Amino acid sequence: EVEVEKVGEEFVVKVSCNKGRDKLISILEAFEELGLNVVRARVNCSHFFTMEAIAVAQDQKTTDINDVTQAILMAIEKQGGEHIKDFRQ
């Protein structure tokens, strides 16, 4: 599950999925490719992989919520090959 909200200039991102190798790295790489800086994050890998992050754009270009959501979904799928559903639809 991936939820992305835009609050002012910040993107609030919540991710929940099965644990897997290197998911955090793939998600952070997706942020970097989108030109987003993570200013705060909380990650838990007890039973599932969960992450709550706040990210801001490096420049003033507008990044779409859907672009962020799809990039994170692709990063998760790349690492797990698992079926991921975008719950915003």
Side-chain angles (χ1 to χ4, degrees), residues 50-83:
T50 58
M51 175 180 165
E52 292 182 22
I54 296 175
V56 295
Q58 293 176 7
D59 55 30
Q60 297 303 319
K61 94 174 182 173
T62 304
T63 302
D64 185 74
I65 289 173
N66 192 48
D67 292 339
V68 176
T69 303
Q70 293 306 315
I72 294 170
L73 287 169
M74 288 174 44
I76 292 169
E77 288 174 349
K78 179 172 72 170
Q79 287 304 313
E82 60 191 65
H83 178 72

Side-chain angles (χ1 to χ4, degrees), residues 18-67:
N18 291 329
K19 290 195 296 187
R21 186 177 188 123
D22 297 332
K23 287 196 179 178
L24 178 59
I25 292 168
S26 292
I27 293 169
L28 293 176
E29 287 173 346
F31 281 130
E32 185 176 0
E33 289 172 12
L34 290 169
L36 297 175
N37 288 326
V38 176
V39 294
R40 188 174 354 161
R42 181 176 19 186
V43 177
N44 186 331
C45 297
S46 297
H47 302 292
F48 295 96
F49 174 87
T50 58
M51 175 180 165
E52 292 182 22
I54 296 175
V56 295
Q58 293 176 7
D59 55 30
Q60 297 303 319
K61 94 174 182 173
T62 304
T63 302
D64 185 74
I65 289 173
N66 192 48
D67 292 339

